């Protein structure tokens, strides 16, 4: 790993700050996040980031509880944020293993200090290095049953997300699951484009994509109901009392910054859970 870069903003640390992890951000990261939250056009992006996080926790809980998943791999995990993925998974199944993967040196160092134990690993890897990613996934999942691979608030920062999703599909065991969220582009909702502009000013390239593009990226996966939807519409399938129940009544630590959406137009994001195809018809 290289040296920490405290002078330039990093997408993972800006994202963490938007989730309330201020102590882990450098001044450059806080400045970018501040411009996003203060911009009336861009602040809806923060809402999307929060909703994507809550969706991730609900989806992991569902897959571990109802679909036999005992290994969760989070690609582009970002800074630790309670409740973390491994905590949610273990609330359902105590022996669940979790592997976090990120390319940012600070993320990996901090994660190893506060998260790693005998069932949790932190791995340093660049998702754009496709051969390395495939080798990593094959090694991590060898001999495992269906696993869950999570890409939450990650694909919009990758120049070739299709290559990553295709690699996941061929590297993990048949019947495995993909948990994904992606910031959307929309002519009528300015938040994503405004946030992309502000991030771009800090040399962080974020690529919102149109809903049809996002759906196309997932064409190789069988989508679990309700399909590809705004993240706050993806229900907690373990909870009969509605889609917005927090995981075991807990709220993630960044809740003080969370903006509750008043309509679908407030959430410039789509999310879903897909299964690697096993050869049978959908």
């Amino acid at each position: 790993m290289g040296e920490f870069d405290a002078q330039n903003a990093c997408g993972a640390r800006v994202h963490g700050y938007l989730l309330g992890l201020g102590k882990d951000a450098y001044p450059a990261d806080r400045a970018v996040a501040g411009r996003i939250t203060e911009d009336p056009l861009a602040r809806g992006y923060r809402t999307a980031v929060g909703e994507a996080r809550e969706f991730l926790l609900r989806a992991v809980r569902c897959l571990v509880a109802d679909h036999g998943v005992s290994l969760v791999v989070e690609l582009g995990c970002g800074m630790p944020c309670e409740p973390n993925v491994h905590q949610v998974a273990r609330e359902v199944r105590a022996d669940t293993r979790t592997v976090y993967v990120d390319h940012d040196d600070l993320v990996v160092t901090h994660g190893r200090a506060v998260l790693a134990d005998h069932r949790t690993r932190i791995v340093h890897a660049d998702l754009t290095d496709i051969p390395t990613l495939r080798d990593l996934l094959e090694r991590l999942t060898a001999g495992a049953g269906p696993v869950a691979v999570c890409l939450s608030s990650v694909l919009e920062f990758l120049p070739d997300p299709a290559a990553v999703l295709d690699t996941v599909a061929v590297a993990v065991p048949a019947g495995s699951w993909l948990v994904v969220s992606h910031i959307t582009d929309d002519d009528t909702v300015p938040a994503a484009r405004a946030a992309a502009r502000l991030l771009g000013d800090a040399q962080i390239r974020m690529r919102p994509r149109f809903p049809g593009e996002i759906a196309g990226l997932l064409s190789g996966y069988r989508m679990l109901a309700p399909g590809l939807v705004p993240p706050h519409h993806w229900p907690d399938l373990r909870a009969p009392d509605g889609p917005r129940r927090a995981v075991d009544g807990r709220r993630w630590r960044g809740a003080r910054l969370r903006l509750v959406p008043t309509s679908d137009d407030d959430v410039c994001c789509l999310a879903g859970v897909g299964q690697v195809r096993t050869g049978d018809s959908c």
Side-chain angles (χ1 to χ4, degrees), residues 21 24 53 77-82 84 107 110-111 114-115 253:
L21 305 178
D24 298 316
R53 178 70 185 180
C77 59
M79 300 301 294
C81 180
E82 292 188 350
N84 292 284
V107 167
H110 188 59
V114 303
L115 298 179
R253 192 167 63 182

Side-chain angles (χ1 to χ4, degrees), residues 62-194:
C62 168
L63 293 177
V64 173
D66 295 340
H67 295 278
V69 167
S70 61
L71 171 62
V72 181
V73 181
E74 186 176 8
L75 301 178
C77 59
M79 300 301 294
C81 180
E82 292 188 350
N84 292 284
V85 165
H86 74 282
Q87 294 170 313
V88 171
R90 288 187 197 175
E91 287 176 351
V92 179
R93 179 173 172 170
D95 64 346
T96 304
R97 294 182 297 127
T98 305
V99 181
Y100 296 106
V101 181
D102 206 282
H103 79 285
D104 183 78
D105 297 342
L106 181 62
V107 167
V108 174
T109 300
H110 188 59
R112 286 175 176 166
V114 303
L115 298 179
D117 59 32
H118 67 290
R119 291 197 181 93
T120 305
R121 292 177 56 194
I122 316 294
V123 178
H124 186 271
D126 186 341
L127 302 188
T128 65
D129 183 347
I130 297 302
T132 298
L133 176 62
R134 179 168 181 169
D135 178 69
L136 174 65
L137 289 173
E138 289 176 344
R139 287 189 287 107
L140 290 175
T141 63
V147 304
V149 177
C150 305
L151 282 152
S152 178
S153 301
V154 174
L155 295 178
E156 54 265 37
F157 293 97
L158 299 178
D160 189 0
V164 173
L165 294 178
D166 291 347
T167 299
V168 172
V170 300
V172 300
S176 290
W177 299 89
L178 176 77
V179 178
V180 64
S181 64
H182 196 304
I183 295 297
T184 55
D185 197 352
D186 191 315
D187 292 331
T188 64
V189 181
R193 293 181 182 180

Side-chain angles (χ1 to χ4, degrees), residues 192-211:
R193 293 181 182 180
R197 173 178 52 79
L198 294 172
L199 289 166
D201 290 342
Q203 306 305 309
I204 301 170
R205 187 174 181 189
M206 193 262 285
R207 307 164 177 83
R209 294 182 173 93
F210 289 103

Side-chain angles (χ1 to χ4, degrees), residues 244-258:
R244 297 304 306 276
R245 190 176 73 86
V247 177
D248 286 351
R250 299 165 62 188
R251 305 298 293 181
W252 47 282
R253 192 167 63 182
R256 68 182 183 275
L257 290 180
R258 181 169 176 271

Side-chain angles (χ1 to χ4, degrees), residues 8 11 13 22 33-34 38 40-41 49-50 53-54 71 86-87 97 106 139 144 216-217 225-226 246 250 260 268 272:
N8 297 303
R13 298 193 298 265
E38 292 165 6
L41 294 179
V49 166
R53 178 70 185 180
E54 291 201 350
L71 171 62
H86 74 282
Q87 294 170 313
R97 294 182 297 127
L106 181 62
R139 287 189 287 107
L217 292 172
R250 299 165 62 188
V260 177
C268 53

